[in-house]
């Protein structure tokens, strides 16, 4: 049940150590890569001190690029013989702290071949807040319209992918569109997606201006990821019709 963990992180110095510790010593975890996406705090140093393999972006590129950089590092580790070819990849947010261990439940269905992509479904969170309901609804309806499948938590970032799912899902949709784009691309490639309840707890986005900015950026990136895929499908439909024998 081998897996390589990729953790995207921006200004998570206060939480990253606990998150890394929660996954690093679990059986089957061959690598923990933290992608520090232009943090202005100590995230990279703390992550390295916990034994993670740290990739640094000198400036902020967004979550999708961070995950792509993580996959790049895994490819390099594979070439160096430090990672078993064909291992599953587990994406884990940096703000889960001790609860991150629960994300390892995503690995088994991928490792035993019953799913190509597993997605964590989180329980109600301890802190009040959240409330990006608008983006969640847009994402859910968008995925349903394109694939027929209705995700419970379409923006959930904890995901385990088989090598085939990685191929189908890359290059990722930009920024915060990465999760929605990934779900659609993996399903449209004919691969199996499964949701798995996981006892995960993360920092809940509040309601201050920073949180509002986060939601606006999420809304933009999710809408873009869906729009691009709708356009692609339309173009594909057109070329099929043109190619069809008359
Ligand atoms: N790469 C990257 N990761 C980010 C950025 N902002 C947040 N993250 C990370 O992405 C994950 C999810 O972000 P978070 O703020 O918790 O969003 P939420 O869970 O949707 O409210 C966490 O691991 C963050 O550290 C960013 O600009 N770039
Ligand atoms: Mg979070």
């Amino acid at each position: 049940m081998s897996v390589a963990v990729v953790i995207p992180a921006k200004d998570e110095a206060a939480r990253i150590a606990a998150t890394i510790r929660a996954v690093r010593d679990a059986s089957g975890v061959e690598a923990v890569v933290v992608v520090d996406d232009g943090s202005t705090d100590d995230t990279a140093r703390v992550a390295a001190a916990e034994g993670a393999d740290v990739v640094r972006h000198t400036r902020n590129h967004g979550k999708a690029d961070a995950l792509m950089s993580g996959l790049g590092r895994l490819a390099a580790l594979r070439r160096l013989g430090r990672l078993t070819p064909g291992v599953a990849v587990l994406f884990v947010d940096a703000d889960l702290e001790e609860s991150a261990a629960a994300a390892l439940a995503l690995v088994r269905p991928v490792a035993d071949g019953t799913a190509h992509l597993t997605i964590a479904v989180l329980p109600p969170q301890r802190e009040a807040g959240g409330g990006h309901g608008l983006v969640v609804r847009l994402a859910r309806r968008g995925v349903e319209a394109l694939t027929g499948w209705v995700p419970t938590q379409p923006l959930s970032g904890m995901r385990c992918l088989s090598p085939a799912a990685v191929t189908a899902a890359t290059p990722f949709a930009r920024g915060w569109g990465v999760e929605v784009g990934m779900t659609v691309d993996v399903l449209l490639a004919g691969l199996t997606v499964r949701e798995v309840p996981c006892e995960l707890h993360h920092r809940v986005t509040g309601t201050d201006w920073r949180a509002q900015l986060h939601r606006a950026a999420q809304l933009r990136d999710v809408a873009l990821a869906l729009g691009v895929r709708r356009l692609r499908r339309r173009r594909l439909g057109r070329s099929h019709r043109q190619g069809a024998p008359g």
Side-chain angles (χ1 to χ4, degrees), residues 113-117 146-147 162 164-165 167-169 182-193:
T114 50
H116 282 282
L117 167 64
L146 281 161
T147 69
S162 69
T167 303
M182 182 191 299
T183 305
V184 170
D185 293 346
V186 168
L187 282 168
L188 292 185
L191 302 176
T192 315
V193 177

PDB file of all heavy atoms in Angstrom, residues 113-117 146-147 162 164-165 167-169 182-193:
ATOM      1  N   GLY A 113      -7.082  -1.173  -6.302  1.00  0.00           N
ATOM      2  CA  GLY A 113      -7.638  -1.090  -7.654  1.00  0.00           C
ATOM      3  C   GLY A 113      -9.146  -0.892  -7.709  1.00  0.00           C
ATOM      4  O   GLY A 113      -9.733  -0.949  -8.786  1.00  0.00           O
ATOM      5  N   THR A 114      -9.800  -0.638  -6.575  1.00  0.00           N
ATOM      6  CA  THR A 114     -11.252  -0.440  -6.645  1.00  0.00           C
ATOM      7  C   THR A 114     -11.614   0.997  -7.036  1.00  0.00           C
ATOM      8  O   THR A 114     -12.749   1.274  -7.390  1.00  0.00           O
ATOM      9  CB  THR A 114     -11.963  -0.808  -5.316  1.00  0.00           C
ATOM     10  OG1 THR A 114     -11.290  -0.170  -4.246  1.00  0.00           O
ATOM     11  CG2 THR A 114     -11.980  -2.296  -5.084  1.00  0.00           C
ATOM     12  N   ALA A 115     -10.659   1.910  -6.961  1.00  0.00           N
ATOM     13  CA  ALA A 115     -10.889   3.287  -7.430  1.00  0.00           C
ATOM     14  C   ALA A 115      -9.594   3.866  -7.983  1.00  0.00           C
ATOM     15  O   ALA A 115      -8.502   3.454  -7.590  1.00  0.00           O
ATOM     16  CB  ALA A 115     -11.390   4.157  -6.283  1.00  0.00           C
ATOM     17  N   HIS A 116      -9.742   4.798  -8.926  1.00  0.00           N
ATOM     18  CA  HIS A 116      -8.551   5.499  -9.432  1.00  0.00           C
ATOM     19  C   HIS A 116      -8.347   6.819  -8.704  1.00  0.00           C
ATOM     20  O   HIS A 116      -7.251   7.353  -8.648  1.00  0.00           O
ATOM     21  CB  HIS A 116      -8.679   5.738 -10.938  1.00  0.00           C
ATOM     22  CG  HIS A 116      -8.383   4.522 -11.739  1.00  0.00           C
ATOM     23  ND1 HIS A 116      -7.114   4.086 -11.992  1.00  0.00           N
ATOM     24  CD2 HIS A 116      -9.203   3.622 -12.322  1.00  0.00           C
ATOM     25  CE1 HIS A 116      -7.140   2.980 -12.705  1.00  0.00           C
ATOM     26  NE2 HIS A 116      -8.412   2.667 -12.916  1.00  0.00           N
ATOM     27  N   LEU A 117      -9.453   7.364  -8.207  1.00  0.00           N
ATOM     28  CA  LEU A 117      -9.369   8.622  -7.452  1.00  0.00           C
ATOM     29  C   LEU A 117     -10.299   8.510  -6.254  1.00  0.00           C
ATOM     30  O   LEU A 117     -11.482   8.214  -6.411  1.00  0.00           O
ATOM     31  CB  LEU A 117      -9.805   9.802  -8.347  1.00  0.00           C
ATOM     32  CG  LEU A 117     -10.076  11.149  -7.662  1.00  0.00           C
ATOM     33  CD1 LEU A 117      -8.814  11.714  -7.020  1.00  0.00           C
ATOM     34  CD2 LEU A 117     -10.629  12.163  -8.678  1.00  0.00           C
ATOM     35  N   LEU A 146     -21.333  18.040 -16.246  1.00  0.00           N
ATOM     36  CA  LEU A 146     -20.331  17.520 -17.178  1.00  0.00           C
ATOM     37  C   LEU A 146     -20.190  16.007 -17.131  1.00  0.00           C
ATOM     38  O   LEU A 146     -19.790  15.377 -18.109  1.00  0.00           O
ATOM     39  CB  LEU A 146     -18.968  18.153 -16.876  1.00  0.00           C
ATOM     40  CG  LEU A 146     -18.780  19.576 -17.419  1.00  0.00           C
ATOM     41  CD1 LEU A 146     -17.647  20.283 -16.698  1.00  0.00           C
ATOM     42  CD2 LEU A 146     -18.495  19.544 -18.916  1.00  0.00           C
ATOM     43  N   THR A 147     -20.507  15.413 -15.968  1.00  0.00           N
ATOM     44  CA  THR A 147     -20.198  13.983 -15.811  1.00  0.00           C
ATOM     45  C   THR A 147     -21.382  13.135 -15.370  1.00  0.00           C
ATOM     46  O   THR A 147     -21.318  11.906 -15.439  1.00  0.00           O
ATOM     47  CB  THR A 147     -19.090  13.788 -14.743  1.00  0.00           C
ATOM     48  OG1 THR A 147     -19.630  14.128 -13.448  1.00  0.00           O
ATOM     49  CG2 THR A 147     -17.874  14.647 -15.025  1.00  0.00           C
ATOM     50  N   SER A 162      -4.371   7.210  -8.525  1.00  0.00           N
ATOM     51  CA  SER A 162      -3.550   6.170  -9.137  1.00  0.00           C
ATOM     52  C   SER A 162      -2.714   6.842 -10.229  1.00  0.00           C
ATOM     53  O   SER A 162      -3.028   7.963 -10.648  1.00  0.00           O
ATOM     54  CB  SER A 162      -4.459   5.116  -9.767  1.00  0.00           C
ATOM     55  OG  SER A 162      -5.114   5.682 -10.894  1.00  0.00           O
ATOM     56  N   ALA A 164      -2.778   6.250 -13.337  1.00  0.00           N
ATOM     57  CA  ALA A 164      -3.670   6.539 -14.475  1.00  0.00           C
ATOM     58  C   ALA A 164      -4.481   7.804 -14.222  1.00  0.00           C
ATOM     59  O   ALA A 164      -4.714   8.610 -15.130  1.00  0.00           O
ATOM     60  CB  ALA A 164      -4.606   5.359 -14.722  1.00  0.00           C
ATOM     61  N   ALA A 165      -4.908   8.004 -12.974  1.00  0.00           N
ATOM     62  CA  ALA A 165      -5.668   9.217 -12.640  1.00  0.00           C
ATOM     63  C   ALA A 165      -4.774  10.452 -12.750  1.00  0.00           C
ATOM     64  O   ALA A 165      -5.227  11.510 -13.196  1.00  0.00           O
ATOM     65  CB  ALA A 165      -6.259   9.096 -11.240  1.00  0.00           C
ATOM     66  N   THR A 167      -2.307  10.840 -14.800  1.00  0.00           N
ATOM     67  CA  THR A 167      -2.179  11.117 -16.244  1.00  0.00           C
ATOM     68  C   THR A 167      -3.443  11.797 -16.767  1.00  0.00           C
ATOM     69  O   THR A 167      -3.369  12.780 -17.507  1.00  0.00           O
ATOM     70  CB  THR A 167      -1.945   9.798 -17.021  1.00  0.00           C
ATOM     71  OG1 THR A 167      -0.775   9.185 -16.484  1.00  0.00           O
ATOM     72  CG2 THR A 167      -1.759  10.037 -18.508  1.00  0.00           C
ATOM     73  N   ALA A 168      -4.609  11.305 -16.367  1.00  0.00           N
ATOM     74  CA  ALA A 168      -5.871  11.873 -16.860  1.00  0.00           C
ATOM     75  C   ALA A 168      -6.087  13.300 -16.347  1.00  0.00           C
ATOM     76  O   ALA A 168      -6.687  14.130 -17.026  1.00  0.00           O
ATOM     77  CB  ALA A 168      -7.039  10.985 -16.438  1.00  0.00           C
ATOM     78  N   ALA A 169      -5.600  13.575 -15.152  1.00  0.00           N
ATOM     79  CA  ALA A 169      -5.930  14.847 -14.492  1.00  0.00           C
ATOM     80  C   ALA A 169      -4.925  15.967 -14.771  1.00  0.00           C
ATOM     81  O   ALA A 169      -5.197  17.130 -14.445  1.00  0.00           O
ATOM     82  CB  ALA A 169      -6.036  14.633 -12.982  1.00  0.00           C
ATOM     83  N   MET A 182      -9.911  18.176 -11.758  1.00  0.00           N
ATOM     84  CA  MET A 182      -9.409  16.813 -11.590  1.00  0.00           C
ATOM     85  C   MET A 182     -10.550  15.804 -11.597  1.00  0.00           C
ATOM     86  O   MET A 182     -10.507  14.777 -12.282  1.00  0.00           O
ATOM     87  CB  MET A 182      -8.678  16.753 -10.247  1.00  0.00           C
ATOM     88  CG  MET A 182      -8.046  15.443  -9.904  1.00  0.00           C
ATOM     89  SD  MET A 182      -7.504  15.418  -8.161  1.00  0.00           S
ATOM     90  CE  MET A 182      -6.334  16.742  -8.083  1.00  0.00           C
ATOM     91  N   THR A 183     -11.607  16.100 -10.847  1.00  0.00           N
ATOM     92  CA  THR A 183     -12.746  15.188 -10.769  1.00  0.00           C
ATOM     93  C   THR A 183     -13.350  14.973 -12.155  1.00  0.00           C
ATOM     94  O   THR A 183     -13.591  13.834 -12.580  1.00  0.00           O
ATOM     95  CB  THR A 183     -13.826  15.764  -9.822  1.00  0.00           C
ATOM     96  OG1 THR A 183     -13.225  16.036  -8.558  1.00  0.00           O
ATOM     97  CG2 THR A 183     -14.972  14.798  -9.643  1.00  0.00           C
ATOM     98  N   VAL A 184     -13.563  16.070 -12.867  1.00  0.00           N
ATOM     99  CA  VAL A 184     -14.180  15.970 -14.195  1.00  0.00           C
ATOM    100  C   VAL A 184     -13.264  15.191 -15.142  1.00  0.00           C
ATOM    101  O   VAL A 184     -13.702  14.268 -15.841  1.00  0.00           O
ATOM    102  CB  VAL A 184     -14.466  17.385 -14.761  1.00  0.00           C
ATOM    103  CG1 VAL A 184     -14.874  17.319 -16.222  1.00  0.00           C
ATOM    104  CG2 VAL A 184     -15.557  18.076 -13.931  1.00  0.00           C
ATOM    105  N   ASP A 185     -11.991  15.521 -15.161  1.00  0.00           N
ATOM    106  CA  ASP A 185     -11.075  14.892 -16.117  1.00  0.00           C
ATOM    107  C   ASP A 185     -10.910  13.397 -15.853  1.00  0.00           C
ATOM    108  O   ASP A 185     -10.841  12.600 -16.785  1.00  0.00           O
ATOM    109  CB  ASP A 185      -9.708  15.600 -16.079  1.00  0.00           C
ATOM    110  CG  ASP A 185      -9.801  17.025 -16.614  1.00  0.00           C
ATOM    111  OD1 ASP A 185     -10.833  17.353 -17.254  1.00  0.00           O
ATOM    112  OD2 ASP A 185      -8.858  17.815 -16.388  1.00  0.00           O
ATOM    113  N   VAL A 186     -10.868  13.021 -14.588  1.00  0.00           N
ATOM    114  CA  VAL A 186     -10.701  11.605 -14.255  1.00  0.00           C
ATOM    115  C   VAL A 186     -11.968  10.827 -14.643  1.00  0.00           C
ATOM    116  O   VAL A 186     -11.902   9.748 -15.235  1.00  0.00           O
ATOM    117  CB  VAL A 186     -10.353  11.427 -12.758  1.00  0.00           C
ATOM    118  CG1 VAL A 186     -10.450   9.971 -12.326  1.00  0.00           C
ATOM    119  CG2 VAL A 186      -8.944  11.964 -12.482  1.00  0.00           C
ATOM    120  N   LEU A 187     -13.137  11.407 -14.341  1.00  0.00           N
ATOM    121  CA  LEU A 187     -14.389  10.730 -14.699  1.00  0.00           C
ATOM    122  C   LEU A 187     -14.546  10.627 -16.221  1.00  0.00           C
ATOM    123  O   LEU A 187     -14.931   9.577 -16.736  1.00  0.00           O
ATOM    124  CB  LEU A 187     -15.584  11.479 -14.104  1.00  0.00           C
ATOM    125  CG  LEU A 187     -15.838  11.241 -12.615  1.00  0.00           C
ATOM    126  CD1 LEU A 187     -16.857  12.248 -12.085  1.00  0.00           C
ATOM    127  CD2 LEU A 187     -16.330   9.810 -12.362  1.00  0.00           C
ATOM    128  N   LEU A 188     -14.226  11.707 -16.925  1.00  0.00           N
ATOM    129  CA  LEU A 188     -14.392  11.675 -18.383  1.00  0.00           C
ATOM    130  C   LEU A 188     -13.382  10.738 -19.055  1.00  0.00           C
ATOM    131  O   LEU A 188     -13.579  10.323 -20.186  1.00  0.00           O
ATOM    132  CB  LEU A 188     -14.299  13.093 -18.975  1.00  0.00           C
ATOM    133  CG  LEU A 188     -15.456  14.039 -18.602  1.00  0.00           C
ATOM    134  CD1 LEU A 188     -15.322  15.367 -19.334  1.00  0.00           C
ATOM    135  CD2 LEU A 188     -16.827  13.417 -18.889  1.00  0.00           C
ATOM    136  N   ALA A 189     -12.324  10.402 -18.347  1.00  0.00           N
ATOM    137  CA  ALA A 189     -11.368   9.413 -18.872  1.00  0.00           C
ATOM    138  C   ALA A 189     -11.872   7.988 -18.623  1.00  0.00           C
ATOM    139  O   ALA A 189     -11.196   7.017 -18.968  1.00  0.00           O
ATOM    140  CB  ALA A 189      -9.998   9.612 -18.230  1.00  0.00           C
ATOM    141  N   GLY A 190     -13.047   7.882 -18.005  1.00  0.00           N
ATOM    142  CA  GLY A 190     -13.637   6.553 -17.779  1.00  0.00           C
ATOM    143  C   GLY A 190     -13.115   5.873 -16.528  1.00  0.00           C
ATOM    144  O   GLY A 190     -13.313   4.667 -16.341  1.00  0.00           O
ATOM    145  N   LEU A 191     -12.453   6.631 -15.656  1.00  0.00           N
ATOM    146  CA  LEU A 191     -11.889   6.036 -14.442  1.00  0.00           C
ATOM    147  C   LEU A 191     -12.868   6.184 -13.274  1.00  0.00           C
ATOM    148  O   LEU A 191     -13.752   7.047 -13.296  1.00  0.00           O
ATOM    149  CB  LEU A 191     -10.549   6.702 -14.108  1.00  0.00           C
ATOM    150  CG  LEU A 191      -9.489   6.615 -15.225  1.00  0.00           C
ATOM    151  CD1 LEU A 191      -8.236   7.397 -14.839  1.00  0.00           C
ATOM    152  CD2 LEU A 191      -9.137   5.166 -15.528  1.00  0.00           C
ATOM    153  N   THR A 192     -12.671   5.370 -12.237  1.00  0.00           N
ATOM    154  CA  THR A 192     -13.605   5.339 -11.099  1.00  0.00           C
ATOM    155  C   THR A 192     -13.203   6.332 -10.019  1.00  0.00           C
ATOM    156  O   THR A 192     -12.047   6.390  -9.617  1.00  0.00           O
ATOM    157  CB  THR A 192     -13.608   3.922 -10.472  1.00  0.00           C
ATOM    158  OG1 THR A 192     -13.674   2.985 -11.527  1.00  0.00           O
ATOM    159  CG2 THR A 192     -14.786   3.734  -9.533  1.00  0.00           C
ATOM    160  N   VAL A 193     -14.198   7.086  -9.535  1.00  0.00           N
ATOM    161  CA  VAL A 193     -13.978   8.038  -8.444  1.00  0.00           C
ATOM    162  C   VAL A 193     -14.833   7.605  -7.259  1.00  0.00           C
ATOM    163  O   VAL A 193     -15.995   7.238  -7.437  1.00  0.00           O
ATOM    164  CB  VAL A 193     -14.379   9.471  -8.880  1.00  0.00           C
ATOM    165  CG1 VAL A 193     -14.214  10.452  -7.730  1.00  0.00           C
ATOM    166  CG2 VAL A 193     -13.534   9.928 -10.074  1.00  0.00           C
TER     167      VAL A 193
END
